Amino acid sequence: MTIGSFLDKKKIREYIQKNNMLNKGDRVVLGLSGGPDSVCLFFVLLALKEEHGLDIHALHVNHCIREGDADEDQAYVESLCRDFEVPLKVVRVDIPAMVAESGRSTEEEARMARYEAFEAYAKELEGDSDEETVKIAIAHNADDNAETVLFHMARGTGLDGMCGIAPTRGRIIRPLLEIPKAEILEFIQDNEIAYCVDETNSEVCYDRNRIRHNILPELSEINPKALEHITDMTNRLMEVADYISLEAKGLLAIAKDEGDKLRKRAFITAPRVIASQALKEYLSGFMPNQKDVSAVHIESILGLLQEEGERQVQLPYKKTLIISYEHLYVIDEEEDDEPKGTISYREFDLEPGMKYPTSTYTKWFDCDKISDNVVIRTRAEGDYLTIDSAGNHKSIQDYFVDEKIPKHMRDKIILVCDGSHVMWVVGYRISEYYKISNNTTRVLEVVYGGIGNE
């Protein structure tokens, strides 16, 4: 089987075009492990080099996992690239040492190291450019995609997990994603192309290897086209996911309020599946990775939207989602809890014709009604506010609840106090008791100089 017939018969050209993977003159970094999949992709890209005017570079990551074998893989890749005049960069990463330090699995640590190396080399080739002009070609195949879907199903997943591996993601392209492993091996063997064998791929102590060697063969016994059907299913689900994502972005646009706040009502009235995706996309903006937002977080939030009062959901990375009376928003638990701003004041005689201040952050009080030293602080037990001219009181706690002030803000709001009697809830209202009247002779002016005030 020639590379030309392999490209056309397996519809690789069509797949690349449909997913807009390659354009004329693209520079491509190929992840070249030396295994049959990446070696096959190596020859696919070489066959497309002249047609697309590609500038191909290879990157080999030596994980230092298999003593001796890893160095032999590296030597083979170096020889292959030398024979076909493809520039090669080799990166050595001590995965066992990294696993010992991080506690992550060998599979996860190696995967993260590879993608970091791919991204770093792509940026190196881009130089000072601010745009992503370099593609990264990964040799995932149809078997890998099916393994991923089954793995996600076993661990628990939503729609995104059922979609499997994406054909493209950012600068990453996967031209062989719909090609079964058996057909890749057939091409390699027909053309007598050497490749490396990673013995760890046969060890069923790894979850994905169990799926590869035990489950997929059984599914093929049930139906020889099982792999093809899984691929078709993921393609259809991707179309569904794309539509839901589009609707979710529309919901976020409708729900957006000042800053990063979202209107709660928009989520309550939206279809659950759209609200779920919108929440996931919103919360992902506060996380290093979208997968840091789990289905447990989303279900917790959706379950609290209809409840009265304020609710909180703890998120990764010391962040909290606040579900307030009217809004949803994220706060960082590491934010400084100390109230910001300064207070200044002066006393003077009230004279006829003086104009009362109109600023939210400048207030006048009747000095003769102040019985204690004026104290600037945050709330304390027993604090109260006079709410009307009849002298009726309301506790500061009840006032905060009635005004729908979020719980996480209540200990940061500055109070101007005469003992336990609150003269001014800064930024909100003053006590009726201390207001200027016709009997006032002396005035205390208090000015709050905080960030973002009027």
Side-chain angles (χ1 to χ4, degrees), residues 173-194:
I173 62 173
R174 298 181 172 93
L176 303 182
L177 192 58
E178 289 195 343
I179 308 300
K181 179 84 168 187
E183 295 180 9
I184 290 173
L185 290 173
E186 181 185 357
F187 165 75
I188 292 286
Q189 291 161 3
D190 285 352
N191 290 277
E192 299 181 346
I193 299 171

Side-chain angles (χ1 to χ4, degrees), residues 262-330:
L262 301 175
R263 297 183 184 88
K264 184 168 73 172
R265 175 55 53 184
F267 286 85
I268 292 174
T269 57
R272 186 180 180 87
V273 66
I274 306 300
S276 295
Q277 184 62 30
L279 283 171
K280 187 170 185 178
E281 294 192 15
Y282 171 68
L283 296 178
S284 296
F286 299 91
M287 307 290 161
N289 302 292
Q290 189 177 63
K291 68 178 182 180
D292 293 323
V293 182
S294 71
V296 173
H297 297 128
I298 302 300
E299 289 302 313
S300 296
I301 295 165
L302 292 174
L304 294 172
L305 288 178
Q306 296 283 3
E307 295 194 12
E308 295 293 330
E310 181 182 312
R311 296 290 184 270
Q312 298 184 3
V313 176
Q314 301 304 309
L315 302 171
Y317 304 99
K318 296 184 178 181
K319 297 186 185 297
T320 302
L321 178 78
I322 303 298
I323 305 174
S324 70
Y325 301 89
E326 297 177 354
H327 292 98
L328 309 175
Y329 53 96
V330 174

Side-chain angles (χ1 to χ4, degrees), residues 1 65 84 102 122 130 135 143 170 182 184 212 224 282 314 343:
M1 183 189 299
I65 295 175
F84 288 90
S102 69
D130 293 331
K135 303 286 180 64
D143 293 59
I184 290 173
R212 181 178 307 148
Y282 171 68
Q314 301 304 309
I343 293 284

Side-chain angles (χ1 to χ4, degrees), residues 354-406:
M354 281 186 169
K355 292 185 177 180
Y356 284 33
T358 58
S359 169
T360 303
Y361 293 94
T362 300
K363 299 299 179 186
W364 284 5
F365 304 92
D366 189 329
C367 273
D368 294 335
K369 292 186 177 181
I370 299 172
S371 60
D372 205 339
N373 291 326
V374 175
V375 176
I376 311 300
R377 57 175 173 79
T378 53
R379 66 173 175 167
E381 188 174 353
D383 285 347
Y384 66 93
L385 188 71
T386 302
I387 59 173
D388 56 36
S389 57
N392 293 311
H393 295 171
K394 178 180 288 188
S395 72
I396 281 297
Q397 169 65 19
D398 288 346
Y399 173 73
F400 284 164
V401 171
D402 292 344
E403 291 297 309
K404 300 181 179 180
I405 297 172

